Amino acid sequence: MSHSVKRAKSRNEQFRMAVPPDIRHLVGKREWTASLGTTDPVAAAAMRGELITFYKNEVLRLRGQLAHRPVKDALALLDRGFERLAGIRGSMDKAIAEQLTLLASTVIDSWLPADQLGQPQDWGGMTIWEAPGDPEPVPSIDTEPHREIFRLRAALLEGTGRTDGILYRRLAALLRERRVFKPIRFAVSYMTSIEPKLKLDRDDVYEAVASAYLDRLAGHRFASWPASAETAFEAILSIPGAASSAHIAMPLPQTAATGLWAMPLSKGLEVWIVNRRPKRTPYRRPKGTPFVERCDGYGGRAVRAGCGVGRA
């Protein structure tokens, strides 16, 4: 609430407004105060209304900042988790490669029947139990033939110790582009075992952390790869079937118009009418064959045609 008071040593009224308890630690005080600088009650009331509007907007701004703070803190903890993991594994390249493998394993395992999930996995000496969760495959590669191609490429390029992450990084980029966050919670939540202060219980916090997690994996530059490794393998680094749902319309080949199609509409219609008129045939009407007068449909004109052979 706000109100005006008169100080004992001043004739001017003073504005006072209590700071809401939830933002006092941000403001650093329990109330806002300001001198209205006038003895005129009308002018003082107008100034008081302006100050009320200003501080109400300030309350909304600070509360918005307060609401966003858990997201900001979680992103900082995620960065600290990656740095800590790099120290444990010996380098950031190894830490990112491990997380890419965990992410790809989460996706690939989702392609299996539900009764085959829930098996323990070892990650850097730590046993992780994968929850037998959603039976729906992670939205990534949709058909089994394309999944098999991806598995074969991964068998060639991943786990060699030289180009680890080179294919799985493309998978992380695809998931980020499609904003696939909830189905990869198992992989993202691994970071909470590295940084225990990282909490993912709020939906907005988890979505922000999952997006940043995929950004970190997809955007990492591996210093340990051989020079020009990506260029050498570029032909097989694409995710099979990833672009199949996006249909790109290709222009139809253009061919030169000929005949009636090359003429203006009025001229073409005129030529067509002339060409459609009955033409003389090499046959002759036998004597005694009567003519029949009928309408041919060309503007209602009457045409004499022989009954039998003769003119069409």
Side-chain angles (χ1 to χ4, degrees):
M1 291 184 62
S2 65
H3 58 278
S4 298
V5 297
K6 282 191 176 181
R7 301 177 64 182
K9 298 181 180 180
S10 175
R11 295 182 304 171
N12 298 330
E13 291 190 4
Q14 184 185 42
F15 168 82
R16 301 179 69 178
M17 182 174 178
V19 177
D22 59 324
I23 59 172
R24 284 177 184 172
H25 65 286
L26 298 178
V27 177
K29 59 179 71 174
R30 297 179 64 87
E31 66 177 1
W32 288 296
T33 62
S35 174
L36 298 180
T38 180
T39 58
D40 183 357
V42 176
M47 293 183 63
R48 180 172 174 269
E50 293 177 1
L51 289 172
I52 291 174
T53 301
F54 173 79
Y55 284 116
K56 281 186 175 181
N57 290 333
E58 185 70 2
V59 169
L60 293 176
R61 185 186 70 83
L62 292 174
R63 281 178 172 164
Q65 179 180 326
L66 193 63
H68 186 69
R69 187 166 183 172
V71 173
K72 185 177 180 181
D73 292 345
L75 294 179
L77 290 172
L78 178 67
D79 288 339
R80 192 164 73 179
F82 272 111
E83 295 298 330
R84 183 173 294 178
L85 185 60
I88 296 172
R89 301 294 177 244
S91 69
M92 186 60 75
D93 279 4
K94 291 182 179 179
I96 296 295
E98 177 188 274
Q99 290 305 299
L100 284 168
T101 303
L102 176 59
L103 176 67
S105 175
T106 302
V107 174
I108 293 173
D109 286 351
S110 75
W111 302 339
L112 299 174
D115 57 358
Q116 297 184 30
L117 297 177
Q119 301 302 316
Q121 300 184 29
D122 182 76
W123 293 99
M126 302 176 66
T127 300
I128 305 297
W129 286 83
E130 180 178 4
D134 197 345
E136 291 294 327
V138 176
S140 51
I141 303 175
D142 300 325
T143 65
E144 187 56 37
H146 289 147
R147 292 171 182 172
E148 185 60 27
I149 293 173
F150 181 81
R151 292 189 190 99
L152 291 174
R153 291 176 179 177
L156 292 173
L157 300 174
E158 300 289 348
T160 64
R162 293 179 56 81
T163 58
D164 292 351
I166 196 168
L167 177 63
Y168 292 160
R169 196 174 69 163
R170 301 294 180 94
L171 178 62
L174 175 65
L175 297 175
R176 178 190 59 186
E177 179 184 348
R178 295 185 176 184
R179 299 186 62 80
V180 178
F181 299 146
K182 184 178 178 181
I184 62 168
R185 192 180 187 97
F186 170 73
V188 178
S189 62
Y190 177 83
M191 297 304 297
T192 62
S193 65
I194 304 300
E195 178 50 69
K197 291 184 179 180
L198 178 61
K199 306 299 181 183
L200 304 177
D201 48 348
R202 282 178 42 170
D203 290 343
D204 57 337
V205 171
Y206 171 74
E207 185 170 326
V209 169
S211 179
Y213 177 83
L214 293 176
D215 283 342
R216 190 71 178 261
L217 299 188
H220 180 72
R221 307 294 297 179
F222 283 83
S224 58
W225 288 350
S228 305
E230 277 197 289
T231 303
F233 294 116
E234 184 62 36
I236 60 173
L237 287 183
S238 61
I239 303 298
S244 60
S245 59
H247 176 70
I248 302 175
M250 300 298 292
L252 296 175
Q254 299 294 323
T255 57
T258 59
L260 289 175
W261 302 107
M263 300 180 184
L265 181 60
S266 58
K267 181 64 176 176
L269 181 60
E270 184 179 328
V271 172
W272 179 80
I273 291 175
V274 171
N275 290 335
R276 288 288 295 172
R277 287 175 180 169
K279 295 180 175 57
R280 186 179 297 275
T281 69
Y283 300 102
R284 293 292 182 266
R285 177 177 57 82
K287 292 182 179 180
T289 302
F291 281 102
V292 177
E293 195 170 273
R294 66 183 181 185
C295 293
D296 66 350
Y298 297 104
R301 296 191 297 268
V303 177
R304 297 178 68 201
C307 295
V309 295
R311 298 194 180 190

